[in-house]
Structures are given as C-alpha cells and as structure tokens.
Amino acid sequence: MDEVIQVTQWLSSITPRKKAKLFFFTTHADAPSPMVGSNDVDTHEETQLPLATTVALHNFKNIDEFLKKKVNTFSCYNVIENEITKTDYEYLRFYSACKYLDVVPPFLDLGKISAIQNKFEMTDEERDYRLLLDSADLVLEKVCDSLKPAGVSQMWTALRKDRNLIRGVKTIDIIGFFVDPNPTGIKECLFFFIVRFLQKADKINRVNTNRLERLTAQCDESSSCEEGKTIDFIIDSLRFYPTELYPFGFCLIMCVIEGRDGAMQEIEKTMEISRHLGMITHTEKNPTKETIELVKKELMKPKYQFYSSFTCWFMSHGDSNSMVLADGETIEREWFLTSFPDISTFQLKPKVFFMVSCRGANKFSLKGDEFEGQSATCDYYDIGSALIRNRMLDITDSVRDISYVQPMMDTLVAYSTILDHLSGRASTHGSIYVDRACVLVSENISRGRSLTEILEHLSQDLHEILQETMDEDRIVYKQACHYDSFFRKTLKLPYTRHPKEDVHSAPQ
C-alpha cells in the first residue's frame, strides 16, 4: 500500500483528544540542546502554532500536517552509528508516545528504534517504552484530564490578563480572548498550548510549577473540575516530583564488603526494595575511588536523562568526615555528595542518597535504671500557613527566576547516624538502618506516602531499638538517624509494587 495512504488512514483512526496528546508528548519541552543535527532555530512557532490554529479554527489540519511530517522524517531517516542526533531523541519520544496512547503506526520501522536504542547503550530493561516517556508531561496530562473545558477556558482568561507576559506573542493573538473549548480535543489543545507557552517563557518547568498552580487556583471549582476532582487535588498533583509509570528511577548500590559482616545482606535488601519500587538497579561491590569516577562518567551518558529520579545507597565504614573504600583509601563524604548532584542528566530531578556508615565513635549509652523512662518520640512541627503567607511580601514575577539552579537543589541525603556517632550493625544481617529502611519502604508502597514521611517514621523506629556494641564492653546504646533535604517538591512512593519478575517481563 502507498505510504501516503497508510499515513492518512493512520491519522483518521486517531481521536482528536489523542492527536492533541500525541502532539504534546512529541513536542517535548526539555529536549536536549544543542544536539547533532540541531540548527539552534527557535522552535516556538513549530510547537505553538499548530495548537493555536487548532484552537482558533476548531480544525486539526495543522496538527495532522505536523504528525505527517514527523512520520515522513522518520521514514527517510538513516540511523547514523555512534553519534546521537536530535532525530534520535525525537524518534524515541514519538514511538513511546504512540505506544502509550495505543496509536503506533503499523508502518513504523521498529528496527530503527532498536538501532537508536543501541546507540544509547540501553540494556534490555531500559528498552521498555515507559522509560522514554517524560514523567512531567504525564503529570500535566492528568491535570488536563481533571479539568472540564470551562476550567481550561478560565485558565486561558487568567493568562490573557497578564499583559506583560503575553505582549507581542503572535500565537496568543491567533487564539483570541474568548475561546470555545467544548469541541472534542480543543480543551486539550488549549491546555497544552498554555503549558508549552509557560515553559518556553521560562515560567514553569518540571520542578517550578507555581505559575501553573496560580492559574489553576483562579478557576471556579463548581464548573471547572471533572467529577471526583477538586482544585486542591489538581494543585496537589503538581506539588509532587513527577515520577509516573515505570521505572521509578535509577538506583545505584555501592557497598564495601571487606571487613563488614552482613554486607551481602545489605545488598540483597536494597536490591529487593529498589525492584519493588520499580527502579532499574546497578550494584558496585567493594568500590574504590576509580570505581566512583567511572560510575560518575557512566551517569553522564545521554540515556540517563530519560530517568525520573536517582537513588544511591553507599554502605561502608567511616568517620566524621570520610568513608572507607574497599582498598583502604578514604574519600571525603562531602566530596561524594556534592559531585553526584551536579550530573546534568539528573538536573531538576529528585536525587536521594542513603549514607550508611559510622560518623564517629560516640554512643548514646544506656545504663541500668536509665533504661526506664527513655522516650523514642520527638515533636515534629509543620511549618507553613496561608495566614502567614497573607502577611508577607507580595513577590512579583519580575523578581522570580527558574533558569539558574544550585547543584544541590532537589537532593536529599539520609544519614544512618548523626555526626560523630556509631552506625550499628548486626553480624548476620548487616546495617540495622538498612534493614529498617527497607522494611518501612516495602510496607508503604501503594499507600501514597512520601519518602520524607517514611524517613521520619524510620527515625522513630530506629531510635526505639536497643543496640549493643560487639566489643568486650558490650555497651547498650541507641542510634539516631536524620536527613538533610534540598527538595522543592514532595517525592511520593509509587502506587504499584513491582514484583521482581516484572523488571524482566515489561512490555517492549
């Protein structure tokens, strides 16, 4: 059959709503640049104009033409060995979006997709199409699905009132002030136009969504939300780190085995819990400084930009400032923690570090009658109030910027013990901290809990446990863990527990 006819038949089989979503996912806002094959031309018109004309004319002609052009480009594309091009990224994004929406063209060359994945050095696990979907776009899709046409129209009206933001933007004028978003697919096109416009204007990104939240807050709840949804529900969904679908992220496990009883148990537990979370995992036993440098270099490869989060377990002996490696050399803990968050492939994504080692030799010792009356509880204070906000300065958009980010932002470091103190372990099971952390994470998958909630529970749980030193003094003591957070959003555990075999049987 003639290819033109095939493309026409394929487009005619896709609903307007799915066409809008396919266009949205394909015109990914954070596509890497500059890339081989990129001419650095501003793509604002390319991504915004089809949406604007579709909304204004209630006609999907321009979106159809855009999708035809993509298909034709891929059909003629010859996969170049070694170097990764802009078209490689676009091809993978297009394929994953089609797979997600169940609209894969029957004539799409899957052999080229495999060849592109080879260039990215993707493993079998990483060839799951869900890895290629941008989790931030999936969250925005859910926000759109939660709004009625009237709600998106109200957001548009609120956006149009910001004259400083929209001044001189031709695509804004094409749509006009008053919009009828009720025809099928038009609501989606208008919402996706608003989102891409705010992204191109550097007003929102995958972490900074305040501007979109404020537009949503101006909607009338009774007329703007789909049944069962509320404005608060929609805004709350934007305040979580986007980690939709599988995989939840990439997990690096580094464990010094030499001289650490139970170390293999630590590896087994952390591997098991990372699999249940739906993470793709890599383990380094007995790491050295050279190992760490090689891992950092590996994480700079382009394929890691598809991951939604990064988690690292580092388990070894240590003291107040350093950690002992397998060859007896030491590395500064601060150097380790500051070198990984700066990796560009995980920028604007949550990065979690579990640092499991002693940080000194001090012990919170318990003797005789002092056991009685000891409390393992502490007070937690929830900081933040709308009442306080109302009394504070009105910070205008002119003094806000989301373009420059401190490297440590979006990073959380969880320590197995406090400074200058021991980190306890059992000779048969390894670190008690690792054991309790894995138990609590496992128990809370599918319960909608955030990581910080679990770490707070872990702090309470660990501090209730009486431990005993393994030397001849047999001192009974308690251990206190803590974490330092530079998070700007909440990181929730996935709602689905992934069995071990799920990792290897995911649909391709």
Side-chain angles (χ1 to χ4, degrees):
M1 185 184 295
D2 183 81
E3 185 174 311
V4 174
I5 297 176
Q6 285 184 311
V7 173
T8 302
Q9 290 180 345
W10 170 66
L11 284 171
S12 65
S13 70
I14 306 175
T15 66
R17 291 182 70 248
K18 285 191 175 183
K19 283 183 182 178
K21 291 183 177 184
L22 181 57
F23 180 89
F24 178 65
F25 292 137
T26 303
T27 56
H28 181 60
D30 297 322
S33 179
M35 289 294 302
V36 175
S38 172
N39 55 10
D40 294 329
V41 175
D42 182 8
T43 58
H44 175 76
E45 291 296 324
E46 181 186 8
T47 58
Q48 296 292 85
L49 187 59
L51 290 172
T53 55
T54 301
V55 172
L57 303 175
H58 291 181
N59 186 313
F60 277 78
K61 178 181 177 181
N62 284 341
I63 287 182
D64 285 349
E65 289 300 319
F66 174 89
L67 295 175
K68 283 182 184 178
K69 183 179 177 181
K70 285 292 181 188
V71 169
N72 290 334
T73 299
F74 299 148
S75 177
C76 300
Y77 180 59
N78 294 317
V79 180
I80 305 170
E81 292 186 7
N82 300 322
E83 61 184 15
I84 294 174
T85 70
K86 180 182 177 183
T87 305
D88 290 332
Y89 279 96
E90 292 177 346
Y91 208 142
L92 292 182
R93 293 289 190 195
F94 179 78
Y95 165 71
S96 63
C98 288
K99 186 80 172 175
Y100 173 69
L101 296 169
D102 195 22
V103 294
V104 177
F107 48 84
L108 194 67
D109 190 342
L110 300 183
K112 289 183 181 180
I113 294 170
S114 180
I116 293 171
Q117 290 172 327
N118 289 341
K119 287 205 293 181
F120 278 90
E121 301 178 30
M122 289 183 171
T123 64
D124 289 344
E125 293 176 270
E126 292 170 329
R127 292 172 188 250
D128 190 310
Y129 78 94
R130 293 171 294 182
L131 172 66
L132 306 174
L133 292 164
D134 183 75
S135 54
D137 281 350
L138 294 176
V139 170
L140 293 167
E141 179 207 17
K142 288 185 177 180
V143 170
C144 181
D145 290 344
S146 300
L147 290 166
K148 291 181 177 179
V152 179
S153 181
Q154 291 166 28
M155 292 176 67
W156 175 248
T157 300
L159 178 67
R160 285 295 305 258
K161 291 178 180 178
D162 190 337
R163 298 187 181 277
N164 291 329
L165 181 61
I166 68 172
R167 184 178 291 116
V169 181
K170 294 179 180 179
T171 46
I172 295 281
D173 295 330
I174 288 174
I175 296 175
F177 200 92
F178 299 103
V179 177
D180 177 13
N182 289 294
T184 304
I186 301 303
K187 176 196 80 170
E188 286 76 16
C189 287
L190 181 58
F191 179 82
F192 296 146
F193 177 90
I194 292 171
V195 166
R196 289 292 187 245
F197 171 74
L198 292 174
Q199 289 171 334
K200 296 293 182 181
D202 266 343
K203 297 301 179 183
I204 66 172
N205 56 32
R206 65 185 298 119
V207 171
N208 301 89
T209 53
N210 286 336
R211 192 59 183 270
L212 188 61
E213 292 170 28
R214 282 152 50 195
L215 285 178
T216 307
Q218 295 183 57
C219 295
D220 172 55
E221 186 163 281
S222 61
S223 61
S224 62
C225 298
E226 292 288 354
E227 185 176 353
K229 308 299 183 188
T230 65
I231 295 297
D232 285 344
F233 170 86
I234 295 170
I235 292 176
D236 282 347
S237 68
L238 290 168
R239 291 179 177 171
F240 301 127
Y241 279 108
T243 52
E244 302 291 307
L245 292 184
Y246 170 90
F248 184 66
F250 181 80
C251 181
L252 171 65
I253 300 171
M254 306 184 87
C255 183
V256 175
I257 299 173
E258 302 298 330
R260 297 182 65 250
D261 294 336
M264 291 303 298
Q265 285 283 327
E266 296 171 351
I267 293 175
E268 290 176 13
K269 291 171 187 175
T270 50
M271 286 183 65
E272 181 180 16
I273 199 61
S274 68
R275 289 184 181 127
H276 284 323
L277 287 169
M279 288 182 160
I280 292 177
T281 304
H282 176 75
T283 301
E284 288 288 347
K285 298 176 183 177
N286 288 326
T288 62
K289 193 163 186 177
E290 181 182 4
T291 306
I292 295 171
E293 291 294 345
L294 289 174
V295 168
K296 286 167 57 180
K297 185 177 180 180
E298 167 70 20
L299 293 175
M300 291 294 292
K301 291 181 178 179
K303 70 175 181 177
Y304 291 98
Q305 66 126 358
F306 293 112
Y307 284 92
S308 300
S309 69
F310 173 75
T311 298
C312 175
W313 292 84
F314 195 100
M315 296 166 282
S316 71
H317 289 306
D319 57 28
S320 58
N321 297 314
S322 60
M323 302 177 295
V324 183
L325 301 175
D327 56 6
E329 296 293 318
T330 61
I331 57 167
E332 295 294 311
R333 189 178 286 105
E334 191 68 20
W335 171 84
F336 180 86
L337 290 172
T338 55
S339 59
F340 275 87
D342 204 19
I343 294 175
S344 59
T345 45
F346 291 102
Q347 188 179 18
L348 300 180
K349 298 173 184 178
K351 297 165 282 288
V352 179
F353 294 83
F354 290 94
M355 309 304 293
V356 184
S357 68
C358 289
R359 300 178 70 194
N362 291 343
K363 299 172 287 292
F364 175 54
S365 304
L366 307 177
K367 298 180 182 179
D369 294 339
E370 295 181 18
F371 279 71
E372 297 181 9
Q374 290 291 334
S375 172
T377 61
C378 55
D379 294 324
Y380 297 98
Y381 295 93
D382 183 21
I383 301 174
S385 163
L387 189 62
I388 293 176
R389 178 182 286 273
N390 291 338
R391 297 203 303 265
M392 303 306 257
L393 292 171
D394 181 19
I395 307 298
T396 64
D397 288 333
S398 63
V399 294
R400 291 182 181 272
D401 173 80
I402 67 171
S403 303
Y404 301 97
V405 182
Q406 289 277 5
M408 283 299 290
M409 297 306 294
D410 307 304
T411 299
L412 183 147
V413 184
Y415 296 95
S416 63
T417 188
I418 59 178
L419 185 63
D420 297 326
H421 283 68
L422 284 176
S423 180
R425 58 190 304 97
S427 59
T428 54
H429 289 74
S431 166
I432 296 173
Y433 174 88
V434 170
D435 181 85
R436 303 316 301 161
C438 291
V439 167
L440 291 176
V441 171
S442 180
E443 289 177 350
N444 284 282
I445 296 175
S446 306
R447 293 184 179 179
R449 300 283 171 79
S450 70
L451 176 64
T452 48
E453 284 180 296
I454 293 168
L455 290 176
E456 288 161 4
H457 189 177
L458 174 61
S459 179
Q460 180 188 129
D461 185 47
L462 185 67
H463 200 57
E464 290 178 354
I465 299 171
L466 301 177
Q467 302 187 49
E468 191 174 54
T469 59
M470 298 180 185
D471 55 23
E472 60 183 19
D473 294 330
R474 312 298 290 181
I475 297 173
V476 177
Y477 67 97
K478 282 191 170 187
Q479 182 176 336
C481 59
H482 76 108
Y483 67 90
D484 294 331
S485 176
F486 302 89
F487 273 6
R488 292 181 286 170
K489 284 184 180 290
T490 301
L491 179 60
K492 275 199 171 184
L493 296 190
Y495 284 95
T496 303
R497 175 185 291 273
H498 295 268
K500 181 176 181 180
E501 59 271 17
D502 222 22
V503 176
H504 301 288
S505 62
Q508 299 299 305

Short mmCIF file of all heavy atoms in Angstrom, two decimals, residues 276-309:
data_model
loop_
_atom_site.label_atom_id
_atom_site.label_comp_id
_atom_site.label_asym_id
_atom_site.label_seq_id
_atom_site.Cartn_x
_atom_site.Cartn_y
_atom_site.Cartn_z
N HIS A 276 11.09 -3.60 43.97
CA HIS A 276 9.68 -3.41 44.33
C HIS A 276 9.21 -2.00 44.00
O HIS A 276 8.05 -1.78 43.66
CB HIS A 276 9.47 -3.70 45.82
CG HIS A 276 9.45 -5.16 46.17
ND1 HIS A 276 8.88 -6.12 45.35
CD2 HIS A 276 9.93 -5.83 47.25
CE1 HIS A 276 9.02 -7.31 45.91
NE2 HIS A 276 9.65 -7.17 47.06
N LEU A 277 10.11 -1.04 44.12
CA LEU A 277 9.78 0.35 43.79
C LEU A 277 9.72 0.58 42.28
O LEU A 277 9.25 1.63 41.83
CB LEU A 277 10.81 1.30 44.40
CG LEU A 277 10.73 1.49 45.92
CD1 LEU A 277 11.96 2.23 46.41
CD2 LEU A 277 9.47 2.24 46.31
N GLY A 278 10.17 -0.39 41.51
CA GLY A 278 10.17 -0.23 40.06
C GLY A 278 11.39 0.51 39.56
O GLY A 278 11.33 1.21 38.55
N MET A 279 12.51 0.38 40.27
CA MET A 279 13.75 1.03 39.84
C MET A 279 14.62 0.07 39.03
O MET A 279 14.58 -1.14 39.24
CB MET A 279 14.55 1.51 41.06
CG MET A 279 13.95 2.70 41.76
SD MET A 279 15.01 3.22 43.14
CE MET A 279 14.42 4.89 43.37
N ILE A 280 15.38 0.63 38.11
CA ILE A 280 16.42 -0.13 37.43
C ILE A 280 17.71 0.06 38.24
O ILE A 280 18.09 1.19 38.53
CB ILE A 280 16.58 0.34 35.97
CG1 ILE A 280 15.32 -0.04 35.17
CG2 ILE A 280 17.83 -0.26 35.34
CD1 ILE A 280 15.32 0.44 33.74
N THR A 281 18.34 -1.04 38.59
CA THR A 281 19.38 -1.02 39.62
C THR A 281 20.74 -1.46 39.09
O THR A 281 20.83 -2.38 38.26
CB THR A 281 18.96 -1.93 40.80
OG1 THR A 281 17.69 -1.53 41.29
CG2 THR A 281 19.97 -1.86 41.93
N HIS A 282 21.78 -0.80 39.58
CA HIS A 282 23.16 -1.20 39.29
C HIS A 282 23.91 -1.31 40.62
O HIS A 282 23.81 -0.42 41.47
CB HIS A 282 23.85 -0.19 38.39
CG HIS A 282 25.30 -0.50 38.15
ND1 HIS A 282 25.71 -1.50 37.29
CD2 HIS A 282 26.44 0.04 38.67
CE1 HIS A 282 27.03 -1.56 37.29
NE2 HIS A 282 27.50 -0.64 38.11
N THR A 283 24.66 -2.38 40.79
CA THR A 283 25.38 -2.63 42.05
C THR A 283 26.89 -2.62 41.82
O THR A 283 27.38 -3.21 40.85
CB THR A 283 24.96 -3.98 42.65
OG1 THR A 283 23.56 -3.98 42.89
CG2 THR A 283 25.68 -4.23 43.97
N GLU A 284 27.59 -1.94 42.71
CA GLU A 284 29.06 -1.94 42.71
C GLU A 284 29.53 -2.47 44.06
O GLU A 284 29.37 -1.81 45.08
CB GLU A 284 29.61 -0.53 42.48
CG GLU A 284 29.46 0.00 41.07
CD GLU A 284 30.40 -0.68 40.08
OE1 GLU A 284 31.33 -1.39 40.53
OE2 GLU A 284 30.19 -0.50 38.87
N LYS A 285 30.11 -3.68 44.07
CA LYS A 285 30.65 -4.24 45.30
C LYS A 285 32.10 -3.79 45.45
O LYS A 285 32.84 -3.72 44.48
CB LYS A 285 30.58 -5.76 45.26
CG LYS A 285 29.16 -6.31 45.16
CD LYS A 285 29.17 -7.82 45.01
CE LYS A 285 27.76 -8.37 44.83
NZ LYS A 285 27.75 -9.83 44.61
N ASN A 286 32.47 -3.49 46.70
CA ASN A 286 33.83 -3.06 47.02
C ASN A 286 34.32 -1.91 46.13
O ASN A 286 35.33 -2.03 45.41
CB ASN A 286 34.80 -4.25 46.92
CG ASN A 286 34.62 -5.23 48.06
OD1 ASN A 286 34.31 -4.83 49.18
ND2 ASN A 286 34.80 -6.50 47.78
N PRO A 287 33.61 -0.79 46.14
CA PRO A 287 34.01 0.34 45.29
C PRO A 287 35.32 0.97 45.74
O PRO A 287 35.64 1.00 46.92
CB PRO A 287 32.84 1.32 45.46
CG PRO A 287 32.30 1.01 46.82
CD PRO A 287 32.44 -0.48 46.97
N THR A 288 36.05 1.49 44.76
CA THR A 288 37.24 2.29 45.02
C THR A 288 36.98 3.68 44.44
O THR A 288 35.95 3.92 43.81
CB THR A 288 38.48 1.68 44.34
OG1 THR A 288 38.26 1.67 42.92
CG2 THR A 288 38.71 0.25 44.83
N LYS A 289 37.93 4.58 44.62
CA LYS A 289 37.76 5.92 44.06
C LYS A 289 37.68 5.85 42.54
O LYS A 289 36.91 6.59 41.90
CB LYS A 289 38.90 6.84 44.49
CG LYS A 289 38.61 8.30 44.21
CD LYS A 289 39.52 9.22 44.98
CE LYS A 289 39.10 10.69 44.78
NZ LYS A 289 39.92 11.62 45.57
N GLU A 290 38.46 4.95 41.94
CA GLU A 290 38.40 4.78 40.49
C GLU A 290 37.01 4.30 40.06
O GLU A 290 36.46 4.77 39.05
CB GLU A 290 39.46 3.77 40.04
CG GLU A 290 39.49 3.55 38.53
CD GLU A 290 40.50 2.51 38.10
OE1 GLU A 290 41.14 1.89 38.98
OE2 GLU A 290 40.65 2.30 36.88
N THR A 291 36.42 3.39 40.85
CA THR A 291 35.06 2.91 40.56
C THR A 291 34.08 4.07 40.56
O THR A 291 33.23 4.19 39.66
CB THR A 291 34.63 1.87 41.62
OG1 THR A 291 35.58 0.83 41.70
CG2 THR A 291 33.26 1.30 41.25
N ILE A 292 34.18 4.92 41.58
CA ILE A 292 33.25 6.05 41.70
C ILE A 292 33.38 6.99 40.50
O ILE A 292 32.37 7.46 39.96
CB ILE A 292 33.51 6.80 43.02
CG1 ILE A 292 33.18 5.89 44.22
CG2 ILE A 292 32.69 8.08 43.10
CD1 ILE A 292 33.60 6.44 45.55
N GLU A 293 34.59 7.25 40.08
CA GLU A 293 34.80 8.13 38.93
C GLU A 293 34.21 7.51 37.66
O GLU A 293 33.62 8.22 36.83
CB GLU A 293 36.28 8.42 38.73
CG GLU A 293 36.91 9.28 39.83
CD GLU A 293 36.35 10.70 39.84
OE1 GLU A 293 35.70 11.11 38.87
OE2 GLU A 293 36.55 11.40 40.86
N LEU A 294 34.36 6.22 37.50
CA LEU A 294 33.81 5.53 36.33
C LEU A 294 32.28 5.57 36.35
O LEU A 294 31.64 5.74 35.30
CB LEU A 294 34.30 4.08 36.28
CG LEU A 294 35.77 3.87 35.92
CD1 LEU A 294 36.16 2.40 36.06
CD2 LEU A 294 36.04 4.35 34.49
N VAL A 295 31.70 5.41 37.53
CA VAL A 295 30.24 5.46 37.66
C VAL A 295 29.73 6.85 37.32
O VAL A 295 28.72 7.02 36.61
CB VAL A 295 29.80 5.05 39.08
CG1 VAL A 295 28.32 5.39 39.31
CG2 VAL A 295 30.03 3.56 39.29
N LYS A 296 30.40 7.88 37.82
CA LYS A 296 30.00 9.26 37.51
C LYS A 296 30.06 9.51 36.00
O LYS A 296 29.16 10.14 35.43
CB LYS A 296 30.90 10.25 38.25
CG LYS A 296 30.62 10.35 39.74
CD LYS A 296 31.72 11.08 40.48
CE LYS A 296 31.97 12.46 39.93
NZ LYS A 296 33.05 13.16 40.65
N LYS A 297 31.10 9.00 35.36
CA LYS A 297 31.22 9.15 33.91
C LYS A 297 30.09 8.42 33.19
O LYS A 297 29.53 8.91 32.21
CB LYS A 297 32.59 8.62 33.46
CG LYS A 297 32.88 8.84 31.98
CD LYS A 297 34.27 8.34 31.62
CE LYS A 297 34.58 8.57 30.14
NZ LYS A 297 35.93 8.09 29.77
N GLU A 298 29.75 7.25 33.68
CA GLU A 298 28.66 6.47 33.10
C GLU A 298 27.33 7.24 33.20
O GLU A 298 26.56 7.28 32.23
CB GLU A 298 28.54 5.13 33.82
CG GLU A 298 27.28 4.34 33.55
CD GLU A 298 27.18 3.78 32.14
OE1 GLU A 298 28.24 3.66 31.47
OE2 GLU A 298 26.06 3.46 31.71
N LEU A 299 27.09 7.85 34.33
CA LEU A 299 25.82 8.55 34.55
C LEU A 299 25.67 9.81 33.71
O LEU A 299 24.57 10.37 33.62
CB LEU A 299 25.66 8.90 36.04
CG LEU A 299 25.50 7.71 36.99
CD1 LEU A 299 25.47 8.19 38.44
CD2 LEU A 299 24.23 6.93 36.67
N MET A 300 26.75 10.24 33.09
CA MET A 300 26.68 11.39 32.19
C MET A 300 26.18 11.01 30.80
O MET A 300 25.90 11.88 29.97
CB MET A 300 28.06 12.05 32.07
CG MET A 300 28.54 12.74 33.33
SD MET A 300 27.53 14.17 33.76
CE MET A 300 27.96 15.28 32.41
N LYS A 301 26.06 9.72 30.52
CA LYS A 301 25.62 9.28 29.20
C LYS A 301 24.18 9.72 28.93
O LYS A 301 23.36 9.77 29.85
CB LYS A 301 25.75 7.76 29.08
CG LYS A 301 27.19 7.27 29.06
CD LYS A 301 27.27 5.76 28.91
CE LYS A 301 28.73 5.29 28.84
NZ LYS A 301 28.83 3.82 28.71
N PRO A 302 23.86 10.01 27.67
CA PRO A 302 22.54 10.56 27.34
C PRO A 302 21.35 9.74 27.80
O PRO A 302 20.30 10.30 28.10
CB PRO A 302 22.59 10.66 25.81
CG PRO A 302 24.03 10.79 25.47
CD PRO A 302 24.75 9.96 26.49
N LYS A 303 21.48 8.42 27.88
CA LYS A 303 20.31 7.60 28.21
C LYS A 303 19.77 7.90 29.61
O LYS A 303 18.57 7.68 29.88
CB LYS A 303 20.63 6.11 28.09
CG LYS A 303 21.57 5.56 29.15
CD LYS A 303 21.72 4.05 28.99
CE LYS A 303 22.63 3.44 30.05
NZ LYS A 303 22.71 1.96 29.92
N TYR A 304 20.61 8.41 30.49
CA TYR A 304 20.16 8.63 31.87
C TYR A 304 19.24 9.83 32.00
O TYR A 304 18.58 10.00 33.03
CB TYR A 304 21.36 8.74 32.81
CG TYR A 304 22.08 7.43 32.96
CD1 TYR A 304 23.22 7.15 32.22
CD2 TYR A 304 21.58 6.44 33.79
CE1 TYR A 304 23.86 5.93 32.32
CE2 TYR A 304 22.22 5.20 33.91
CZ TYR A 304 23.36 4.95 33.16
OH TYR A 304 23.98 3.73 33.26
N GLN A 305 19.16 10.68 30.97
CA GLN A 305 18.24 11.80 31.04
C GLN A 305 16.78 11.33 30.96
O GLN A 305 15.87 12.06 31.30
CB GLN A 305 18.51 12.79 29.91
CG GLN A 305 18.23 12.25 28.53
CD GLN A 305 17.30 13.12 27.72
OE1 GLN A 305 16.81 14.12 28.20
NE2 GLN A 305 17.06 12.71 26.49
N PHE A 306 16.55 10.07 30.54
CA PHE A 306 15.18 9.54 30.48
C PHE A 306 14.67 9.13 31.85
O PHE A 306 13.46 8.94 32.03
CB PHE A 306 15.12 8.34 29.53
CG PHE A 306 15.37 8.67 28.08
CD1 PHE A 306 16.51 8.22 27.44
CD2 PHE A 306 14.47 9.46 27.37
CE1 PHE A 306 16.74 8.53 26.11
CE2 PHE A 306 14.69 9.77 26.04
CZ PHE A 306 15.83 9.31 25.41
N TYR A 307 15.55 8.96 32.83
CA TYR A 307 15.13 8.54 34.17
C TYR A 307 14.48 9.70 34.94
O TYR A 307 14.87 10.86 34.76
CB TYR A 307 16.32 8.01 34.97
CG TYR A 307 16.76 6.62 34.57
CD1 TYR A 307 17.75 6.43 33.61
CD2 TYR A 307 16.20 5.50 35.15
CE1 TYR A 307 18.17 5.16 33.24
CE2 TYR A 307 16.61 4.22 34.80
CZ TYR A 307 17.59 4.05 33.83
OH TYR A 307 17.99 2.79 33.49
N SER A 308 13.53 9.37 35.81
CA SER A 308 12.79 10.39 36.58
C SER A 308 13.45 10.73 37.90
O SER A 308 13.15 11.78 38.49
CB SER A 308 11.36 9.91 36.84
OG SER A 308 10.67 9.67 35.64
N SER A 309 14.30 9.84 38.42
CA SER A 309 14.92 10.09 39.73
C SER A 309 16.20 9.29 39.84
O SER A 309 16.46 8.38 39.04
CB SER A 309 13.96 9.71 40.87
OG SER A 309 13.77 8.30 40.92
#
